[in-house]
């Protein structure tokens, strides 16, 4: 039953990807497989004896390779019993300039002219990736082309190509690099154009996340890229997908961070909706829901919080401080200044404890410092706030945090 559900999910995912491709900009709708369809010249070796054939296609589900042989006509090879048919291998007859161009790309000498040479052939070749490497060694060339597209930032074509591959089957063949290239593409698409997140995430659903620390790390970085772009709902979805996989992995270093980041994202969504609720009360329900989800998930974290010596401890303290700031703002809006100040004090204590135990390289440290400075301002401890903002300038030069701290310093009384 589990396999049947997985097959249905993959089918739905494939349909969704097809729809998303159709919705891409006009220049991304170019159908390369249709444009370059046609016969593929090759040799089939019966033992050591070669025969010229034209490959017409392969049906992975039926396990059939369709071909045409001179003097014989149309014929079929049984994909699952090639050995019994005395077939040792197939060999493609690619032109010399195509092989030369592929060699340049494999050496990371990227150029549009090499793509133009390879493209008319590679889209014919890609149709045969479900033939095992031992019988048709084309996988390296196809991977070279896909990687070149990503490195040259031709993201529309790279997505078009990778979204149509059977990544699960390629994983089974030992070509995990196609899945890794898909992860790389998704991350770069999101970083370059946040609006492409929906399309990029559809590709992610085709990638199998293995019980492997490298896989977990790569997928976590991709989810982080969504969060850093302010795509908090999308980030939560990917953290939630990775979380259960990591939970059953022995001694994974990512278990705690995957509990914390969704809480952070819920708080950020609450901030967004609560601002909207100030202008339109229809956003109030959504804001309340996000805040409750943050509190519920944080309650689970509190049952077994991160160790004080861990990197995650300072993020944990940042999140606790963020929650207290939200309470402070709620009381502030309600006119209870005393309660508001009490929660601002609590937020300072929480975030400061995290900063004391943090190292400079942690990505969330500048936000922790800025938050401490902001809380000091709310408590009218302007000199303490000034010192914090100056620290941000020293440790995080040429970042958005340095710019923000400069603005804060200029607005402080006495500046």
């Amino acid at each position: 039953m589990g396999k049947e559900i997985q097959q249905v999910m993959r089918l739905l995912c494939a349909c969704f990807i097809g729809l998303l491709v159709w919705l891409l900009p006009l220049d991304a709708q170019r159908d390369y497989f249709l444009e370059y369809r046609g016969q593929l010249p090759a040799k089939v070796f019966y033992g050591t004896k070669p025969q010229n054939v034209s490959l017409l296609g392969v049906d992975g589900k039926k396990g059939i390779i369709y071909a045409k042989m001179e003097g014989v006509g149309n014929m079929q090879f049984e994909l699952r019993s090639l050995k019994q048919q005395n077939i040792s291998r197939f060999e493609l007859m690619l032109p010399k300039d195509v092989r030369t161009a592929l060699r340049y790309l494999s050496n990371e000498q990227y150029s549009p002219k090499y793509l133009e040479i390879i493209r008319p052939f590679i889209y014919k070749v890609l149709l045969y990736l479900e033939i095992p490497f031992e019988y048709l060694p084309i996988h390296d060339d196809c991977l070279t082309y896909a990687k070149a597209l990503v490195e040259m930032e031709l993201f529309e074509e790279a997505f078009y190509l990778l979204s149509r591959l059977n990544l699960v089957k390629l994983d089974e063949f030992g070509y995990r690099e196609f899945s890794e290239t898909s992860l790389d593409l998704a991350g770069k698409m999101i970083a370059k154009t946040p609006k492409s997140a929906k399309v990029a995430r559809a590709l992610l659903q085709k990638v199998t996340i293995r019980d492997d620390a490298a896989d977990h790390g790569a997928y976590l970085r991709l989810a982080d890229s969504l969060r850093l772009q302010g795509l908090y709902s999308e980030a939560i979805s990917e953290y939630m997908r990775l979380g259960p996989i990591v939970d059953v992995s022995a001694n994974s270093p990512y278990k705690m961070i995957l509990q914390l980041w969704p809480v952070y994202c819920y708080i950020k969504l609450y901030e967004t909706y609560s601002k909207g609720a100030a202008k339109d009360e229809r956003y109030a329900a959504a804001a309340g829901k996000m805040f409750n989800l943050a509190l519920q998930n944080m309650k689970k974290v509190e049952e077994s919080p991160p160790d004080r010596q861990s990197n995650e401890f300072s993020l944990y303290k940042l999140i606790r401080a963020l929650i207290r700031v939200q309470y402070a703002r709620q009381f502030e809006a309600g006119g209870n200044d005393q309660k508001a100040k009490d929660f601002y004090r609590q937020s300072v204590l929480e975030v400061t404890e995290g900063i004391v135990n943090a190292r400079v390289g942690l990505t969330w440290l500048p936000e922790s410092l800025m938050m401490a400075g902001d809380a000091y301002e709310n408590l009218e401890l302007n000199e303490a706030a000034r010192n914090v903002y100056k620290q941000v300038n020293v440790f995080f030069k040429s970042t958005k945090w340095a710019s923000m701290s400069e603005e804060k310093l200029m607005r402080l009384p006495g500046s």
Side-chain angles (χ1 to χ4, degrees):
M1 191 67 174
K3 287 185 178 179
E4 291 176 2
I5 292 172
Q6 287 180 353
Q7 288 173 353
V8 171
M9 291 301 293
R10 282 173 187 154
L11 178 61
L12 289 172
C13 180
C15 294
F16 184 49
I17 287 175
L19 175 62
L20 287 171
V21 171
W22 184 78
L23 292 171
L24 284 171
L26 187 61
D27 61 344
Q29 293 182 31
R30 185 176 174 187
D31 193 337
Y32 294 98
F33 282 110
L34 181 63
E35 185 175 339
Y36 296 116
R37 65 182 177 179
Q39 301 177 13
L40 189 61
K43 292 181 184 292
V44 57
F45 285 77
Y46 291 93
T48 57
K49 184 180 178 182
Q51 289 277 354
N52 289 336
V53 295
S54 293
L55 296 178
L56 305 177
V58 61
D59 188 326
K61 292 180 180 178
K62 292 182 180 179
I64 296 172
I65 302 170
Y66 299 97
K68 183 194 293 184
M69 185 178 290
E70 293 178 17
V72 177
N74 290 341
M75 58 189 305
Q76 298 178 4
F77 299 101
E78 294 290 334
L79 183 56
R80 298 177 183 89
S81 58
L82 291 173
K83 196 170 186 179
Q84 290 82 344
Q85 297 169 70
N86 195 35
I87 294 172
S88 58
R89 72 183 193 278
F90 293 88
E91 186 178 289
L92 297 185
M93 299 168 64
L94 295 182
K96 184 179 178 181
D97 61 340
V98 173
R99 296 201 175 279
T100 301
L102 280 166
R103 188 169 64 251
Y104 279 119
L105 291 186
S106 66
N107 290 326
E108 300 182 3
Q109 297 182 46
Y110 300 122
S111 169
K113 68 179 180 181
Y114 299 140
L115 296 181
E116 291 297 328
I117 293 170
I118 298 166
R119 190 174 284 121
F121 296 91
I122 206 70
Y123 281 100
K124 295 182 182 72
V125 175
L126 282 161
L127 297 173
Y128 299 90
L129 279 174
E130 291 196 37
I131 301 176
F133 178 85
E134 61 190 285
Y135 289 105
L136 185 61
I138 57 173
H139 301 72
D140 290 324
D141 290 342
C142 293
L143 181 61
T144 292
Y145 187 81
K147 283 183 173 180
L149 292 175
V150 175
E151 291 301 319
M152 295 171 69
E153 298 191 0
L154 297 172
F155 296 151
E156 289 86 359
E157 185 180 351
F159 179 86
Y160 171 93
L161 188 160
L162 290 165
S163 65
R164 284 162 173 76
L165 301 185
N166 188 339
L167 297 177
V168 175
K169 178 65 71 176
L170 289 166
D171 283 0
E172 292 172 3
F173 285 171
Y175 275 88
R176 177 67 183 177
E177 292 95 333
F178 283 99
S179 289
E180 291 170 357
T181 302
S182 298
L183 288 174
D184 186 30
L185 169 63
K188 288 178 176 178
M189 285 175 67
I190 293 164
K192 184 176 181 181
T193 312
K195 288 182 179 179
S196 70
K198 195 170 186 178
V199 175
R201 287 181 60 223
L203 179 58
L204 296 182
Q205 304 313 305
K206 295 191 68 178
V207 176
T208 302
I209 308 173
R210 303 171 299 180
D211 184 11
D212 178 272
D215 269 22
H216 300 168
Y219 206 89
L220 177 61
R221 287 191 293 275
L222 199 141
D224 287 343
S225 71
L226 289 165
R227 172 179 52 79
L228 291 168
Q229 293 287 347
L231 301 168
Y232 299 116
S233 295
E234 293 83 352
I236 289 169
S237 295
E238 301 309 328
Y239 288 132
M240 292 301 189
R241 182 188 179 197
L242 181 57
I245 298 169
V246 167
D247 280 344
V248 297
S249 179
N251 303 316
S252 173
Y254 304 117
K255 289 184 179 181
M256 180 53 69
I257 203 82
L258 282 166
Q259 292 183 57
L260 291 170
W261 279 131
V263 183
Y264 175 92
C265 291
Y266 282 129
I267 294 169
K268 293 298 179 182
L269 286 170
Y270 165 73
E271 289 178 352
T272 301
Y273 284 124
S274 59
K275 287 176 183 176
K279 299 177 181 178
D280 188 338
E281 63 180 15
R282 288 177 297 179
Y283 288 102
K289 182 181 178 180
M290 292 302 109
F291 196 57
N292 287 333
L293 284 168
L295 295 179
Q296 289 168 21
N297 280 272
M298 195 60 177
K299 187 177 180 181
K300 295 176 186 176
V301 175
E302 300 285 7
E303 292 172 3
S304 182
D307 185 86
R308 182 176 290 274
Q309 305 305 318
S310 68
N311 287 336
E312 291 80 10
F313 181 77
S314 56
L315 176 58
Y316 165 69
K317 285 294 182 177
L318 168 62
I319 293 170
R320 282 176 60 89
L322 282 169
I323 290 172
R324 278 147 184 78
V325 165
Q326 306 316 317
Y327 280 126
R329 289 173 180 168
Q330 289 170 17
F331 282 113
E332 210 167 37
N336 193 334
D337 292 342
Q338 188 58 44
K339 272 283 189 181
K341 283 191 175 182
D342 184 42
F343 274 105
Y344 279 129
R345 287 191 191 95
Q346 290 182 38
S347 73
V348 169
L349 292 173
E350 292 285 351
V351 77
T352 302
E353 189 179 1
I355 291 168
V356 168
N357 288 274
R359 59 180 180 81
V360 173
L362 295 174
T363 57
W364 54 84
L365 180 57
E367 182 175 356
S368 296
L369 288 165
M370 292 298 295
M371 188 181 171
D374 192 56
Y376 282 133
E377 282 193 68
N378 285 307
L379 293 169
E380 299 180 0
L381 299 171
N382 293 330
E383 197 55 40
R386 195 186 316 279
N387 289 334
V388 170
Y389 296 142
K390 285 181 178 179
Q391 285 184 51
V392 174
N393 267 335
V394 171
F395 290 108
F396 303 100
K397 288 180 180 179
S398 303
T399 68
K400 68 174 184 177
W401 303 107
S403 300
M404 289 168 64
S405 65
E406 285 284 358
E407 291 176 12
K408 289 279 192 178
L409 283 167
M410 288 175 67
R411 288 201 296 264
L412 277 174
S415 297

